[in-house]
Amino acid sequence: MQNNDDLTVRAAALTIFICILFGGNPVAIKFCLTGIGSFTAAGIRFSIAAVVIFIWARYKKIPLKINRKQLGQVLILAAIFVVQLSCFYMGIDKTTASHGALISNVLPFIVLILAHFFIPGDTISFKKGIGITLGFIGVLLLFFDEQDLTGELRKGDLIVLVAVFMWSSSAVYVKRIISQYNVVQITIYPMIFGIPFFFFGGYLWDDPMIRMINPTVIKAVLYQSIVTASFGFIAWNTLLQKFGATALHSFIFIMPLVGVLSGVLLLGEAFTPHLAVSIAFIVTGVIIVNMRRRKRPVSVH
C-alpha cells in the first residue's frame, strides 16, 4: 500500500469535495428521521448502498471473495458498525445536526489516542496533545449550550459521542488490517452483515418503522445511501489506500464547518455563542494535529 503524503491537485479537490459531502450528512439524517425510525433509516440506507456498491464492483470486476480469517475480521467490523450507526442515528434524532456534526469531528482525536496504545510507533506528540485537548474542550462546551432546557439535546450529544468512540475503534482496527483488503471488501461487508440487525432493531424499537414518506425524506435517504455511503465511502477508502491517512486528515476540519453551516441554513438551527466557540476549538485542534503530521515526510517529485 502506498502511503504518500503528496496529494495531487485532483486528489486534493476530491478530498475537499468528499469532506463537504460528509459534513452535510447529519442534516440529511435529520430530514430522513422526520419520516423514518432511526434503526429502519440505517437499514434502508445501507441496503441501497450495498446494492449500489455490489453493482459497481461487478462492473469493475473487483473481487469480493474473502477467506475465513477475513470473515472473522469483517464480522468484528460489522458488530462495531451496527453499534456505531445505531447510536449515531439515535443520537442525531435527539440532538441538533450542528451538535452532531461537531461531535463527529472528535473522531481524529479519539483515533490518535487509541492508535497511541494499539498501533506500534503511533505515539502522541506534544502538539498532537494540544490539538486533542482543544478538540475535547470544544465538545465539552456543547454540553453547556442552552438550546435545550429538557436535557434531551445533551442526551443526544452523549449518544453521538458513544457512536464516535465506536467509529474511532473501527478506524484503528481498519488501519491495522486494510492492506489485506480492497476498498470494496472493507466497505461492503460490514454493511451486508449489519443490515439485518438494523431492520430487527427497527422492528423492536422504531414506533412505527415508517411514519411518512415524502420527497424530502426520499432525497435524504438517497443522499445518505448513494452520495455518502456508496460514493463517499469508496472514494475515501481509495484515497486512503493511495495517499495515506496523513494527507487526507489535513482536510477533516472542513466537515464540522459544513455540518454547522448546513444545520443553520437548512434546518434553521440556532447559532449560539457556545456553538461558535466550540467550532473554533474543534477546528483549531484538528488543524494543529494535522499540521504536525503534515510536516513528515516531504516528497520533492
Side-chain angles (χ1 to χ4, degrees):
M1 179 179 66
Q2 185 181 355
N3 191 21
N4 181 2
D5 287 343
D6 235 8
L7 277 173
T8 63
V9 174
R10 283 181 65 183
L14 179 58
T15 305
I16 292 168
F17 181 59
I18 295 168
C19 286
I20 291 170
L21 296 180
F22 282 154
N25 206 50
V27 174
I29 292 174
K30 289 294 281 187
F31 278 124
C32 176
L33 294 177
T34 60
I36 304 175
S38 304
F39 291 96
T40 309
I44 293 171
R45 175 191 182 186
F46 293 109
S47 296
I48 296 171
V51 170
V52 171
I53 293 169
F54 177 77
I55 292 170
W56 184 77
R58 297 291 290 180
Y59 173 71
K60 289 283 191 178
K61 296 184 171 57
I62 297 170
L64 292 176
K65 190 176 178 183
I66 55 175
N67 58 41
R68 185 173 295 181
K69 181 188 173 186
Q70 290 175 315
L71 177 62
Q73 291 172 335
V74 296
L75 284 174
I76 292 170
L77 277 179
I80 300 172
F81 183 76
V82 169
V83 178
Q84 168 205 325
L85 267 299
S86 299
C87 289
F88 192 68
Y89 272 72
M90 286 190 295
I92 289 288
D93 198 24
K94 294 178 183 296
T95 189
T96 63
S98 303
H99 276 219
L102 285 173
I103 295 170
S104 299
N105 285 276
V106 184
L107 175 73
F109 306 127
I110 301 178
V111 167
L112 282 176
I113 294 168
L114 293 176
H116 177 80
F117 293 103
F118 296 106
I119 296 179
D122 210 332
T123 54
I124 296 175
S125 65
F126 179 68
K127 279 192 178 180
K128 283 180 184 177
I130 292 174
I132 290 168
T133 304
L134 290 175
F136 280 113
I137 290 172
V139 169
L140 193 62
L141 286 168
L142 290 176
F143 289 91
F144 295 94
D145 198 340
E146 294 168 3
Q147 284 189 62
D148 187 272
L149 299 176
T150 65
E152 195 71 0
L153 183 140
R154 291 181 185 88
K155 193 190 295 180
D157 287 351
L158 280 171
I159 297 172
V160 173
L161 196 55
V162 171
V164 174
F165 180 79
M166 298 305 296
W167 189 5
S168 306
S169 306
S170 174
V172 171
Y173 187 59
V174 167
K175 192 173 179 183
R176 291 177 68 104
I177 66 171
I178 196 169
S179 60
Q180 306 167 40
Y181 295 85
N182 62 53
V183 289
V184 176
Q185 291 169 329
I186 208 77
T187 304
I188 198 172
Y189 280 110
M191 292 182 187
I192 291 171
F193 290 122
I195 288 164
F197 292 95
F198 289 129
F199 282 117
F200 186 60
Y203 176 74
L204 291 179
W205 296 300
D206 287 345
D207 189 22
M209 292 174 76
I210 296 179
R211 295 185 295 276
M212 169 189 67
I213 294 292
N214 60 29
T216 302
V217 172
I218 292 169
K219 283 187 277 189
V221 168
L222 292 177
Y223 181 89
Q224 296 169 73
S225 306
I226 296 170
V227 177
T228 59
S230 304
F231 168 75
F233 281 15
I234 290 289
W236 185 267
N237 283 333
T238 302
L239 289 167
L240 188 66
Q241 280 199 323
K242 190 171 184 186
F243 297 102
T246 302
L248 265 61
H249 286 166
S250 302
F251 297 94
I252 290 282
F253 72 91
I254 294 168
M255 292 187 198
L257 297 176
V258 172
V260 172
L261 191 64
S262 302
V264 171
L265 294 179
L266 299 177
L267 294 170
E269 294 177 353
F271 190 75
T272 63
H274 280 87
L275 203 58
V277 178
S278 179
I279 291 172
F281 272 100
I282 291 173
V283 169
T284 305
V286 172
I287 290 172
I288 287 174
V289 162
N290 290 296
M291 275 175 61
R292 170 66 178 165
R293 298 175 75 181
R294 203 55 188 155
K295 289 176 183 175
R296 311 171 306 164
V298 179
S299 175
V300 219
H301 51 272

